Amino acid sequence: MDFLTLIQLLDSTVRLATPLLLACLAGLFSERAGIFDIGLEGKMLAAAFFSAAIAALTGSVWLGLLAGIAASMSLSLLHGLASITFRGNQLISGVAINFLAAGLTVLIAQDWFQQGGRTPSLMGGGRFEPITLPFAEALAQVPLLGPIYSELISGHSILVYIAFATVPLTWWVLYRTRFGLRLRAVGENPAAVDTAGVSVVALRYAAVLICGVLCGIAGAYLSTALQAGFVKDMSAGRGFIALAALIFAKWRPWYALYATLLFGLFGALETRPDVIEAVIGIRVQGQLLGALPYIMTVIILAGFVGKAIPPRAGGTPYVKER
Amino acid sequence: MSADGIAGRQETAAPAIELKGISKAFGPVQANKDISIRVMPGTIHGIIGENGAGKSTLMSILYGFYKADKGEIFISGRKTDIPDSQAAISAGIGMVFQHFKLVENFTVLENIILGAEDGGLLRPSLAKARRSLVELAEEYGLNVNPDALIEEIGVGMQQRVEILKALYRRADILILDEPTGVLTPAEADQLFRILGRLREEGKTIILITHKLREIMEATDTVSVMRRGEMTATVKTSETSPAELAELMVGRKVLLRVDKKPATPGDVVLDIKGLRVVDDQKVERLKGIDLQVRAGEILGIAGVAGNGQSELLEVLGGYADGTGEVMLNGHPLALSGTGADGRSRRTQGIGHVPEDRQREGLIMDFAAWENTAFGYHRSDAYKSGLLLNNAAIRSDTEGKMARFDVRPPDPSLAAKSFSGGNQQKIVLAREIERNPDLLLVGQPTRGVDIGAIEFIHQQIVALRDQGKAILLVSVELEEILALADRVAVMFDGHIMGERLSSETDEKELGLLMAGVGS
């Protein structure tokens, strides 16, 4: 495998890891506050559709992004209503949101565009275009570092940079701010937060809304940056892989970055079986790579590689007790 | 300053806390009935009462967890509304709950600032808390390592963190709910030293407990609660454990049970050196020796929380213990294989648990399903691999008729019956299996008078068939009326045994308070 192939492979790793990373961090905010969210998938899908649809209708990808975030946040609110206000089962609410999004996106797409449940292909201002970082052209000829800068680091859409910047931001919010302290506390022991005179409900709503924003960006990335338009079920299980990555990352921001990059690499390799064959000499089925994130998560959950302890109050609605 | 001078000042000062006519009901249950209380500043005020007497409810109202249906709260003479915990904190009230409200994987420092941070960033808040922790440690002798994780320090230390949390929020009034429940005696002594120090500094402390010894040792005044009512408030120096025990347990309508003198036969249950250690590693049973003979009722008296529940649990097969327990001459497993409810039932032990709604019944299931529980493997209830629902139903109908369960409808959910009728369902299930030994816990708690009589008759009838009965009740009256022999438990020990015909409430009350033997 030559150097350029490696760069290409890593480049597509970054692109495939981006939606996973955003969704994973979205789940991290929600679950750290004690609200399990298996509706990441549905929120991404809804955001993907509304971003593409509004971008197609207005010609502005930024309006599309806002629409995607708004759609995702509405589903977050629904999840919050069911699991925080009405203390329902968080898993059931999440499943419902996934089904709702899968059905509604296609239905509305067909009603609006009559293209078999897709949106029209996005062009020009309807898409997030790759950004060429300063001096990318000039530095391209520098050996080793040149291609890394110009091919791998430069040339992604703005959403990719946002996603990677969200990692240190999330870490900072969680561990350096009052909000982060309270958020982590409410996922571990909401009674402690409540007796300290802080609203459990408000904190948890804030968490699911942040989750909605990040899922919205992830969804918008799928349909307006990675692809050019919405197609049916285009989230393709990424919400679930993000959940797997979240467990793999033990609910920590930096680990989330590593986990999603690893899972992104599996995704990139899935499309390049020739690379694997060249490196290890065995032909590996693409499906096996697709399944790897799940297999690794099972191994982690079984406790073979360290222990993944979820937030202790996760999944249980908070009821005041005597 | 002379003692008189202090007392004089207290008379003129406004009470730190004054509650007027507080009432609170949960559905049909009146948890607090028209409670009034005055707590003077700079004193330790005890509130004593049995489990379920309404102490915790009252304090939850004071801390803004519940809203009282009626009544007023005055803090330092000013009428104060406490709709939530935030309001309680700003009124200067700090609460140390029985179950600590700490985040286990946070440090001490993080737990202390949680909810009381200064500004959006943590660093300055943590630095400030660290400084003020040093001051508090000096002032009150409350030393903790600010950087230790909660899950890595002992319960005594965790409790200190809770107290520090309250002090950090500038609490002048500190409420401690059953603070010694999880502490070793040494830790408890240390806690009381700290409380004394806090009182010297002018803090007002409310100590909720069901342990008479703590009240006598630590408090200046004490209020007694019973069944949601405040029955008395007295100066601790002017009362005695025996008087308090009587006030707590109370006298009710005299119970009369018609029964012939017992004719005890062979020893059915023989307990030697039984010990139980709970999840918090606290020893709850500290070497119990007891015997129950065929054809007699042994009553276990005691203030709730002195090990009676653990005794029932270990005999019923759902808590682990050590020691030797023989049933009809055969040893019972006290842990591991064979120490479970199913084995106990096949060995001939019936169990009417203390908390019928949590341990005796599944409230959402129908009466007939509840009747089968524990005995669902019996041949009469099976047809091949499946349950024979029709057989269970008709059996339940018979049981309901014989035990006068109203309404006699097997398909009604357990929660639709009144407390007395729920208890009759449990009793019918256990008694009609004809056990050699029946464990009965609080058989008439929350049961109306009519049903009490019926339940007592059934228990006596079982005795007269030559069965052994171990009865645990916090109602002295019930023990005296029903039991042939009484053993009094205190702090995990048997304080003494008496024939019920040769003792009275006064003597038992003293034993319950841990006095003499």
Coordinates of all heavy atoms in Angstrom, one line a residue, chain B residues 102 104 158 162 248 290 425 446:
Chain B
L102 N -25.4 11.8 47.6 CA -24.0 12.1 47.1 C -23.8 11.5 45.8 O -24.4 10.4 45.5 CB -23.0 11.7 48.1 CG -23.0 12.3 49.5 CD1 -22.0 11.6 50.4 CD2 -22.6 13.8 49.4
E104 N -21.6 9.4 43.7 CA -20.5 8.4 44.2 C -19.2 8.6 43.5 O -18.2 8.5 44.1 CB -21.0 7.0 43.9 CG -22.2 6.6 44.7 CD -21.8 5.7 45.9 OE1 -21.2 4.7 45.6 OE2 -22.1 6.1 47.0
Q158 N -18.8 9.8 54.6 CA -19.8 10.3 53.7 C -20.8 11.2 54.4 O -21.2 12.2 53.9 CB -20.5 9.2 53.0 CG -19.6 8.4 52.0 CD -20.3 7.3 51.3 OE1 -21.5 7.1 51.5 NE2 -19.6 6.5 50.5
E162 N -22.0 15.2 53.9 CA -23.3 15.7 53.9 C -23.5 16.9 54.9 O -24.1 17.9 54.6 CB -24.4 14.6 54.3 CG -24.6 13.6 53.2 CD -25.5 14.1 52.1 OE1 -25.7 15.3 52.0 OE2 -26.1 13.3 51.3
M248 N -44.2 6.2 72.3 CA -44.0 5.8 70.9 C -45.0 4.7 70.5 O -45.5 4.7 69.4 CB -42.6 5.2 70.7 CG -41.6 6.3 70.5 SD -40.0 5.5 70.6 CE -39.9 4.6 69.1
L290 N -33.1 -18.6 70.2 CA -34.6 -18.7 70.4 C -35.0 -20.1 70.2 O -34.4 -20.9 69.4 CB -35.3 -17.8 69.4 CG -35.4 -16.3 69.7 CD1 -36.1 -15.6 68.5 CD2 -36.1 -16.0 71.0
I425 N -55.7 -12.5 52.3 CA -55.3 -13.4 51.1 C -53.9 -14.0 51.4 O -53.7 -15.2 51.2 CB -55.2 -12.5 49.8 CG1 -56.6 -12.0 49.5 CG2 -54.6 -13.3 48.7 CD1 -56.7 -11.1 48.3
G446 N -52.0 -1.5 59.5 CA -52.8 -0.9 58.5 C -54.1 -1.7 58.3 O -54.7 -1.7 57.2

